[in-house]
Amino acid sequence: MNHLWGGMLILGVILGIIGGHITEVSTAFVDSAGDAVTYAIGMAGVVAMWNGMMKLAEAEGLLKKLTSAMKGVLDFLFPEIPENHPAREYIAINFAANILGLGWASTPAGLSAMKELEKLSSSKDKKNRRASKAMCTFLVINVSSLQLIPMTVIAHRSQAGAAVPTEIVAPAILATLASTAAGVVFVKIAGRLYR
């Protein structure tokens, strides 16, 4: 990814120089850096609030209750994960954050879930490691844009001055239902074909 972004930046600068637009390229670099700082500060509060809520929920035992509430879903999607395995809790946290549209806040739980799923993987050979069925399922569901409340998009629309920042909620729900259902069907079919 770094090579891709770096290549695009270098190509843009070269094309700007060739096209005689170096002033516009320089201005865009400075403006983009300022926009990035403004965006990061604006989103830092939301991230801090979510992480604080997760710590409070963990301290009060709500994460265990969340995992219990999602037992049926977790059993259906991940039948190979043992009942009290830590991966289930991390997956439940990841799903909850994604459902609330806080994809960037779900990343730490997602990484922890993948680490725990890797421990369960039957492939112990370091050179020929393969993703387990549970790892593939978790990845596909995350890529399917599992969210009911697109908080990040609502925050962007609010910062951009949209009259009704939440008007995208209904289309987002329809899109996530379709993409997640397609992902689950794909994973279940692929799991049967590649046992």
Side-chain angles (χ1 to χ4, degrees):
M1 231 19 203
N2 291 337
H3 296 297
L4 177 67
W5 286 109
M8 288 192 315
L9 285 172
I10 291 168
L11 182 64
V13 170
I14 291 170
L15 291 175
I17 291 169
I18 292 170
H21 300 287
I22 193 64
T23 305
E24 289 88 347
V25 171
S26 300
T27 303
F29 269 123
V30 173
D31 290 348
S32 296
D35 291 344
V37 170
T38 302
Y39 172 76
I41 291 171
M43 298 312 277
V46 178
V47 173
M49 182 218 44
W50 178 252
N51 288 334
M53 288 181 67
M54 283 290 101
K55 288 293 182 191
L56 287 172
E58 186 176 11
E60 294 298 319
L62 295 177
L63 297 182
K64 297 266 187 226
K65 291 178 183 175
L66 174 65
T67 306
S68 296
M70 294 181 73
K71 182 183 181 329
V73 172
L74 295 175
D75 287 345
F76 173 72
L77 294 173
F78 308 99
E80 60 278 356
I81 301 176
E83 186 73 29
N84 292 317
H85 196 275
R88 291 173 71 94
E89 189 170 302
Y90 290 126
I91 291 170
I93 295 167
N94 177 272
F95 282 4
N98 276 321
I99 286 169
L100 294 173
L102 303 169
W104 28 262
S106 71
T107 301
L111 293 173
S112 296
M114 276 297 197
K115 285 178 186 172
E116 292 296 330
L117 291 174
E118 186 176 22
K119 291 176 187 175
L120 284 175
S121 178
S122 59
S123 177
K124 301 297 181 192
D125 183 5
K126 298 268 186 201
K127 291 182 181 177
N128 298 316
R129 266 196 249 186
R130 292 185 177 185
S132 67
K133 183 179 166 187
M135 292 169 83
C136 292
T137 302
F138 183 64
L139 181 64
V140 166
I141 290 172
N142 268 277
V143 170
S144 75
S145 183
L146 174 68
Q147 62 178 327
L148 294 180
I149 305 169
M151 291 296 287
T152 304
V153 178
I154 291 170
H156 284 300
R157 288 175 52 83
S158 179
Q159 287 179 348
V164 185
T166 57
E167 70 185 353
I168 48 100
V169 171
I173 290 172
L174 292 175
T176 196
L177 289 175
S179 63
T180 303
V184 169
V185 168
F186 171 78
V187 164
K188 290 298 182 182
I189 291 171
R192 291 179 191 270
L193 292 176
Y194 297 104
R195 272 188 194 166

